[in-house]
Structures are given as structure tokens and as C-alpha cells.
Amino acid sequence: MAEKKAGKGLSQRQKQIVEMVRQQGFAAVEALAQNFDVTPQTIRRDINELCSQGLVRRFHGGVGLSSSVENVAYETRKVLLLEEKQRIARQVAGQIPDRASVFIDIGTSTEEVARALRDHEGLRVITNDLNVATILSGNPTCEVIIAGGVVRHRDRGITGEATIDFIRQFKVDFGILGISAIDSDGTLLEFDYHEVRVAQAIIENSRKVFLTADHTKFGRNALVRLGHLSQIDALFTDRQPPEEIAGSLAEHNVALYVAEAGLRSQ
């Protein structure tokens, strides 16, 4: 609960520091102080707060990316860039027709997609996220099917061999995934090997795959390879991606939806 309150309390400057670190990989304390026109002591206090939430890592003279082997805590991710995730979710929902069949994977971004789908009619939703199931179960026209497996305490996601076997029984219209990181070469990356295997099963058993990713996922580090941008049909984000990632999308004819501008390009 404390992490959730801390996440909500991030200042605009602290959010910008996180974004700068994710874009550059490292930022010196003195450079940050000059950029924001504050004292180095103020920046160090900001860094302490961000480190306590696992958003960045302190290095000598500055701050860098957090671990590539451990994701930010769920309670923090739930409130981080919430407005951006909601804009992305509305665009995804706009591409899902009524009476469609949908896989919805684990994640804070996909949970926002579930919220954006609450007014759809006649959906059949298969999910391995108990939060998604709770969100959509209030719609009497929506049939929610929950995958079996092991429930993770930290985020109520379901993973394991039973989950994969369950997903492979279906062939659905749309698979909706979140992602922890997208490398500059288009590689999709995650932190949890078990989660990756479930996501791969969703990709294999969906006629169309929609990927949600806010702009901080571009160029971020994560340990486990999930797949490649070429395996998805559309990327939904809140800002134009970097040139290399945009090039990979164009090369593989992946549709790009940018929620901030409300534009679609291919």
C-alpha cells in the first residue's frame, strides 16, 4: 500500500527524470540539476524517492536504468503513466468490435484495456489475469473465461503449464498483450520467463495480435526474449516510437496507433 501512495505522489520533475533516464540510459546529478534549475541536493532527494520505488538505480555521480532482471513493483506500475495507458486503452477498445473473442494477458496496461471494453456487447474474453476478469464480469453480456494455473500474489496474474495448455484450446479473434520492453531491433522483452511462455501461446492462438506499450518501454532493458514486433499486427502507444523501432514496424507492415495524436499509420 505504501508503494501505491508513493507512486501517486511522484512530482512532475520526478516523472521527467525517469523518462530522461529511460531515454538516455544514464543521467548525471549535475546535468539534471541544471536541466531543472534546482540544486543537486534536490535532485538527490528525487533520486532517493525514485530508487525506493525501483524506478531507477543510483550510480556514482548519477542515476541509471533499473535492473534488467526485475520489474517495477505492480502497485507502482498501476499508477505510473496512468493517463497515457488509459488513452492507449481507449484506442485499442476502438478497434475491437462487439461480439468478438479476445485473449487479454497479464499487465497494468491490459487491465486498462479491460476497463475500456466494459461497455462492449457480447464479448467472449479469455484471460489469465484475475483483475481483468473482475473488471469485465460486471458486464452481463460479456462471457469471461479464466485460465487455470498458479495465481501470483503480487498482481493476481495466472501462469504455468496449465495456463498454456488451456490457452491452446482456443483460436480467438484478438490477442491483447502488454510488454515490459521493446529493444531498438524490435525484440520484445519481459522479466518473467513463465509470463513470456503464456504470452507466446496467446500470440500463436490469436488471429490478430495487439500490443500495448507506453513510450517508456522503447529501448528499455529486460532479461527474457518474448518475440519480435514482426509477430504482432498492431502497436498501440502514446508517442511516436524511435526511428529504429518505427522502421521495424514499417518493414513488417505492423499498424501503428499513437494515442496522443489519434493517428494511425502503417
Side-chain angles (χ1 to χ4, degrees), residues 84 87-96 174 208-215 218 232-241 249 253-266:
E84 289 84 349
R87 290 204 307 267
I88 292 168
R90 287 193 292 270
Q91 277 219 330
V92 175
Q95 299 302 314
I96 305 292
F174 300 94
K208 285 190 175 182
V209 180
F210 289 172
L211 182 68
T212 65
D214 66 70
H215 65 276
F218 299 134
I232 70 170
D233 294 283
L235 171 66
F236 293 78
T237 186
D238 61 307
R239 293 188 189 177
Q240 286 290 337
L249 294 171
N253 198 32
V254 178
L256 172 64
Y257 293 81
V258 182
E260 186 178 37
L263 299 176
R264 174 178 182 255
S265 61
Q266 293 186 338

Side-chain angles (χ1 to χ4, degrees), residues 15 66 80 92 104-105 130 153 169 172 186 214 225 247 255 261:
K15 292 178 182 178
S66 56
L80 192 65
V92 175
I104 303 182
D105 196 21
L130 292 179
H153 296 290
Q169 297 180 67
V172 305
D214 66 70
R225 184 191 300 268

Side-chain angles (χ1 to χ4, degrees), residues 178-244:
I179 196 68
S180 290
I182 304 176
D183 205 351
S184 58
D185 65 359
T187 301
L188 307 177
L189 300 168
E190 273 294 351
F191 293 93
D192 189 318
Y193 171 73
H194 301 288
E195 187 174 337
V196 159
R197 295 195 61 214
V198 173
Q200 288 169 339
I202 290 175
I203 290 173
E204 292 166 5
N205 293 282
S206 301
R207 295 182 178 90
K208 285 190 175 182
V209 180
F210 289 172
L211 182 68
T212 65
D214 66 70
H215 65 276
T216 65
K217 308 301 173 62
F218 299 134
R220 190 183 180 201
N221 293 326
L223 181 65
V224 187
R225 184 191 300 268
L226 188 156
H228 191 270
L229 284 173
S230 59
Q231 296 174 268
I232 70 170
D233 294 283
L235 171 66
F236 293 78
T237 186
D238 61 307
R239 293 188 189 177
Q240 286 290 337
E243 186 175 341
E244 286 182 308

Side-chain angles (χ1 to χ4, degrees), residues 52-211:
S52 72
Q53 297 192 42
L55 298 173
V56 297
R57 180 185 289 183
R58 185 185 297 101
F59 293 92
H60 179 69
V63 61
L65 294 170
S66 56
S67 172
S68 66
V69 300
E70 184 177 2
N71 201 1
V72 176
Y74 172 76
E75 293 295 339
T76 299
R77 286 187 286 118
K78 216 165 48 164
V79 296
L80 192 65
L81 297 172
L82 179 59
E83 182 182 337
E84 289 84 349
K85 290 174 183 176
Q86 289 170 339
R87 290 204 307 267
I88 292 168
R90 287 193 292 270
Q91 277 219 330
V92 175
Q95 299 302 314
I96 305 292
D98 289 338
R99 290 169 288 281
S101 56
V102 187
F103 280 132
I104 303 182
D105 196 21
I106 299 169
T108 57
S109 294
T110 52
E111 287 171 18
E112 289 306 320
V113 174
R115 289 187 177 90
L117 288 170
R118 281 182 294 191
D119 293 331
H120 276 51
E121 294 286 332
L123 293 181
R124 179 166 291 184
V125 176
I126 303 158
T127 185
N128 60 322
D129 187 325
L130 292 179
N131 297 315
V132 167
T134 300
I135 291 164
L136 288 170
S137 61
N139 181 339
T141 75
C142 179
E143 181 178 85
V144 181
I145 304 169
I146 302 175
V150 178
V151 179
R152 302 192 308 203
H153 296 290
R154 67 178 184 267
D155 60 3
R156 305 179 79 199
I158 303 171
T159 62
E161 291 298 327
T163 315
I164 296 167
D165 291 341
F166 184 84
I167 287 170
R168 286 175 175 162
Q169 297 180 67
F170 301 90
K171 188 74 173 182
V172 305
D173 299 324
F174 300 94
I176 302 173
L177 304 173
I179 196 68
S180 290
I182 304 176
D183 205 351
S184 58
D185 65 359
T187 301
L188 307 177
L189 300 168
E190 273 294 351
F191 293 93
D192 189 318
Y193 171 73
H194 301 288
E195 187 174 337
V196 159
R197 295 195 61 214
V198 173
Q200 288 169 339
I202 290 175
I203 290 173
E204 292 166 5
N205 293 282
S206 301
R207 295 182 178 90
K208 285 190 175 182
V209 180
F210 289 172
L211 182 68

